[in-house]
Amino acid sequence: LHEQAPPVLSIADVLRASPNPSAAGRCLAKVLYSRVTSIISLDLSRAMLNDTAVAYVARACRAPGSVLASLDLEGNDAGPKACEQLAETIAQTSLKALSLEGNNLTQGGVEGFEAFCEGLRSSSLTRLSLWRCNLPQACGPALASGVGPSLFLLETGGNLFLEKHLDDIEDRLRANRDARDQAAEEARVLRRKTRKEAKAKAAADALAAKQRDVEEFLARRKQERAERREQEAKEKAEAEAQALLEREAREKQRLKEAASGKKGKKGKKGKGKGKKKK
């Protein structure tokens, strides 16, 4: 365990087999303090740990960075010391499930269990087993007031609680379950609404994209037509300019030829007159 601890650790058999299980449990607690950052579930049920050893383990379970979600301490000898340490552990960690079944938690007084109930009020526990813990009637009110908003399942059989205290506990648990169910329903409705909104947004985006494609296509076609008309106008202007140049050239040539013809005629007339004078 010093080198590597598995996510799910069940070591009760090893502790029971040791000559002094409680001393072995205290040694285990020292290792847990540095390895609880990787252990998700710890099973120490029926490990024959005394009150002090369980207190050591409970304190180790709230080491910085703890990811422990489930702790099973069934069938040990946890008492007031363990309850006081567990009160801090459940209040300071994200522990979700805890079993104290079969532990005589009030041996030596109820102060430790009352402290545990105070820690329970602000804990993240969703499941807690106090089955056959020999809890007296005086602990009923403390436990009822300690049911926090996250607790949904609480095993209280095998204790000495009055019926009215059990009713108070059940009412609080039912309210927690109703609130959980309502939150789940609201989350479901929100997810459905979010999916619909996402679907509608996707459809709107697709339509907008299609419209943009159409507009871009029409704009390209318009640009192409404009460029084609411009090119045609340019080509027409060039053709007209070329035709004009050709006409001017032909006109110049005609005028030149006409001028040359007139000079030729004048020359012939001059020669005829000279002969008559002779």
Side-chain angles (χ1 to χ4, degrees):
L1 290 179
H2 274 293
E3 297 178 357
Q4 185 177 2
V8 178
L9 179 60
S10 180
I11 199 170
D13 292 338
V14 177
L15 298 180
R16 280 196 300 270
S18 65
N20 189 337
S22 293
R26 292 194 295 272
C27 292
L28 173 64
K30 294 179 181 179
V31 179
L32 286 176
Y33 192 83
S34 61
R35 287 299 171 186
V36 76
T37 55
S38 62
I39 300 174
I40 298 174
S41 177
L42 177 59
D43 184 356
L44 294 175
S45 58
R46 296 177 297 281
M48 301 176 66
L49 302 179
N50 62 18
D51 188 20
T52 302
V54 175
Y56 270 86
V57 170
R59 184 170 58 185
C61 288
R62 65 173 182 269
S66 173
V67 294
L68 191 66
S70 176
L71 177 59
D72 190 346
L73 294 170
E74 174 191 346
N76 288 287
D77 198 21
K81 294 179 181 178
C83 284
E84 291 175 356
Q85 293 298 325
L86 284 170
E88 296 186 38
T89 298
I90 62 177
Q92 297 176 19
T93 67
S94 57
L95 191 67
K96 300 297 183 183
L98 174 63
S99 176
L100 295 173
E101 178 179 338
N103 286 272
N104 190 8
L105 299 177
T106 55
Q107 55 181 341
V110 300
E111 292 80 5
F113 183 76
E114 290 175 347
F116 174 80
C117 292
E118 292 180 6
L120 181 62
R121 189 178 300 113
S122 58
S123 74
S124 300
L125 284 179
T126 60
R127 291 180 292 128
L128 172 62
S129 178
L130 297 174
W131 183 267
R132 294 184 294 111
C133 287
N134 197 32
L135 296 171
Q137 295 179 6
C139 290
L143 181 58
S145 63
V147 175
S150 64
L151 193 62
F152 304 130
L153 178 62
L154 175 57
E155 295 285 354
T156 58
N159 296 292
L160 304 175
F161 299 140
L162 295 177
E163 191 67 27
K164 64 177 182 177
H165 298 149
L166 292 176
D167 290 342
D168 290 342
I169 292 171
E170 182 56 33
D171 289 343
R172 290 173 179 266
L173 293 174
R174 185 180 297 106
N176 290 347
R177 290 192 290 267
D178 291 344
R180 176 196 60 186
D181 295 342
Q182 182 178 356
E185 177 63 19
E186 291 175 353
R188 185 184 66 81
V189 171
L190 180 60
R191 287 194 300 270
R192 180 179 294 179
K193 180 181 178 182
T194 303
R195 285 197 300 269
K196 288 182 177 179
E197 290 177 349
K199 187 176 180 180
K201 185 177 183 301
D205 291 344
L207 180 60
K210 186 175 180 180
Q211 290 176 343
R212 285 195 301 270
D213 292 341
V214 171
E215 291 173 356
E216 291 174 359
F217 172 76
L218 295 175
R220 287 196 303 270
R221 291 296 301 273
K222 183 178 181 180
Q223 181 66 23
E224 290 171 357
R225 288 194 297 270
E227 291 175 354
R228 186 166 60 251
R229 287 194 296 268
E230 183 180 354
Q231 183 64 26
E232 291 174 351
K234 182 178 179 181
E235 291 175 353
K236 182 178 179 182
E238 291 176 351
E240 290 176 349
Q242 183 64 30
L244 179 61
L245 290 174
E246 291 176 354
R247 286 196 303 271
E248 290 177 350
R250 288 195 299 269
E251 183 65 19
K252 288 179 180 179
Q253 183 64 28
R254 186 184 66 77
L255 293 174
K256 183 178 179 181
E257 291 175 353
S260 297
K262 286 180 179 181
K263 287 180 180 180
K265 289 179 180 180
K266 286 180 180 180
K268 289 180 181 180
K269 288 180 179 180
K271 285 182 180 180
K273 290 178 179 180
K275 287 180 180 181
K276 286 181 179 181
K277 287 180 178 179
K278 287 180 180 180

